[in-house]
Amino acid sequence: MKRILIVGAGGQIGSELTTYLRKIYGDANVVATDVRECKALAEQGPFEVLDALDANAMASVVSRYGIDTIFNLVALLSAVGEKNPQLAWKVNIGALTNSLEVARERKCAVFTPSSIGAFGPSSPKDKTPQDTVMRPTTMYGVCKVTGELMSDYYHSRFGVDTRSVRFPGLISNVTLPGGGTTDYAVEIYYEAIRSGRFTCPVPSDVYMDMMYMPDALRACVELMEADPAKLVHRNSFNIASMSFTPEVICAEIRKRLPDFTMDYDVDPVKKAIAESWPNSLDDTCAREEWGWKPEWDLSRMTDDMLEHIRQKLALA
Ligand code: SER
């Protein structure tokens, strides 16, 4: 990775991944793009307004900057995808196929995140294996499985260096996620500081895999820098670091903020999605093939989230 293009840099992952990559590879070597202007990213390094559905515009940015690696981060998340499945397919698959095609033509590597959402109710629930039944029941999941298959196809058929991880719900304190089923695990920290109470849209006892953003960012770089000779899998690796229910995260916050309270107003769409996803993933293949190892657990993440959000809201 020497000259990197981020497609969808204004989102939850992109806004932090851009800064992270710029620190490692140099500001000028990481070109951030998004459908909207992103002032903070544009002040740091090269930025272009780019509609990921415009294949010619994407190809022109890739050639103008001499790009060798594309991070395709464009996606409508699971819950919002169920409100408009046709749009979710159009956007998620449109950005994917454009990224893969431009990568084939201009010999770039491609990273497209997959998700725990690629699994479905017929997948094994606990320690879900790397290679198993994948029949998701959301449009988001259908797009993720398609993305995995298309990325592997471009690798085997055209030799494109495609790699990917199945992200758990990502928890961060920089940019809010939007329209996901795991968003509650971010919102709960903001509300704990802001109002001391939170109304949870997901049932109290549903386990989902989660990950703190610093681990997720490191995973992207470690996988893309991994020795290709060691990769048995490519699209896409299970990675895991923690799994919890709303009750468990609530109890963790209460250890630090004893007056914090939580009630429930369960959203039926999010409930159905959450219950169709694994309780926890088995990430043995990622550990063996490229040395994946998480650094953050729920307790350390909670300390860090509360501290950062406290500072952020005090400044606001
Ligand atoms: N965070 C995503 C969602 O909830 C899952 O990858 O939609």
Side-chain angles (χ1 to χ4, degrees), residues 22-300:
R22 281 176 171 166
K23 279 199 189 115
I24 301 174
Y25 299 95
D27 290 348
N29 294 321
V30 180
V31 182
T33 69
D34 199 90
V35 70
R36 277 173 227 98
E37 187 72 49
C38 303
K39 213 162 156 266
L41 297 178
E43 279 166 6
Q44 231 175 35
F47 181 90
E48 300 275 340
V49 172
L50 172 70
D51 177 357
L53 302 185
D54 183 341
N56 291 333
M58 195 186 286
S60 140
V61 174
V62 166
S63 96
R64 219 165 348 115
Y65 287 94
I67 296 296
D68 61 32
T69 304
I70 301 172
F71 282 81
N72 162 40
L73 305 178
V74 174
L76 262 65
L77 294 184
S78 58
V80 81
E82 287 317 292
K83 289 204 179 108
N84 195 341
Q86 293 79 6
L87 181 67
W89 174 266
K90 186 173 165 218
V91 171
N92 298 7
I93 299 302
L96 170 80
T97 47
N98 286 346
S99 299
L100 289 173
E101 262 306 288
V102 72
R104 180 180 70 80
E105 282 164 3
R106 295 179 195 264
K107 306 209 175 329
C108 302
V110 184
F111 177 95
T112 301
S114 186
S115 160
I116 52 172
F119 296 104
S122 52
S123 308
K125 275 259 168 243
D126 295 301
K127 291 271 162 206
T128 307
Q130 171 69 37
D131 301 310
T132 188
V133 178
M134 300 184 78
R135 298 193 63 82
T137 47
T138 61
M139 181 50 78
Y140 177 72
V142 169
C143 293
K144 288 302 185 195
V145 173
T146 306
E148 293 191 13
L149 292 173
M150 284 287 279
S151 298
D152 270 348
Y153 180 79
Y154 268 69
H155 176 63
S156 59
R157 178 78 168 79
F158 303 120
V160 178
D161 185 358
T162 54
R163 307 182 188 191
S164 168
V165 295
R166 295 180 184 132
F167 277 131
L170 294 180
I171 298 175
S172 65
N173 51 56
V174 176
T175 305
L176 286 169
T181 305
T182 56
D183 295 9
Y184 89 87
V186 178
E187 289 155 4
I188 192 170
Y189 287 113
Y190 281 87
E191 284 313 312
I193 299 288
R194 212 181 265 139
S195 63
R197 42 199 289 268
F198 179 61
T199 300
C200 184
V202 170
S204 62
D205 58 348
V206 176
Y207 276 91
M208 283 186 279
D209 252 323
M210 303 280 179
M211 181 173 288
Y212 200 30
M213 190 61 92
D215 270 341
L217 301 178
R218 194 168 46 77
C220 293
V221 170
E222 287 179 4
L223 174 59
M224 293 310 280
E225 293 289 6
D227 176 358
K230 298 216 170 94
L231 300 181
V232 180
H233 298 84
R234 278 177 170 271
N235 303 284
S236 173
F237 283 95
N238 283 2
I239 55 169
S241 64
M242 61 184 99
S243 170
F244 54 77
T245 65
E247 281 300 302
V248 171
I249 186 173
C250 175
E252 198 63 39
I253 293 174
R254 232 181 249 144
K255 284 185 201 160
R256 289 132 180 109
L257 301 168
D259 295 334
F260 176 63
T261 59
M262 181 164 81
D263 59 6
Y264 292 88
D265 180 9
V266 171
D267 173 333
V269 174
K270 289 189 178 175
K271 175 178 189 287
I273 296 173
E275 287 175 349
S276 78
W277 287 354
N279 294 334
S280 63
L281 300 190
D282 177 353
D283 61 0
T284 309
C285 291
R287 288 175 186 258
E288 288 177 357
E289 292 174 36
W290 49 278
W292 160 248
K293 197 166 181 288
E295 288 177 357
W296 291 83
D297 61 15
L298 176 59
S299 171
R300 273 189 70 211

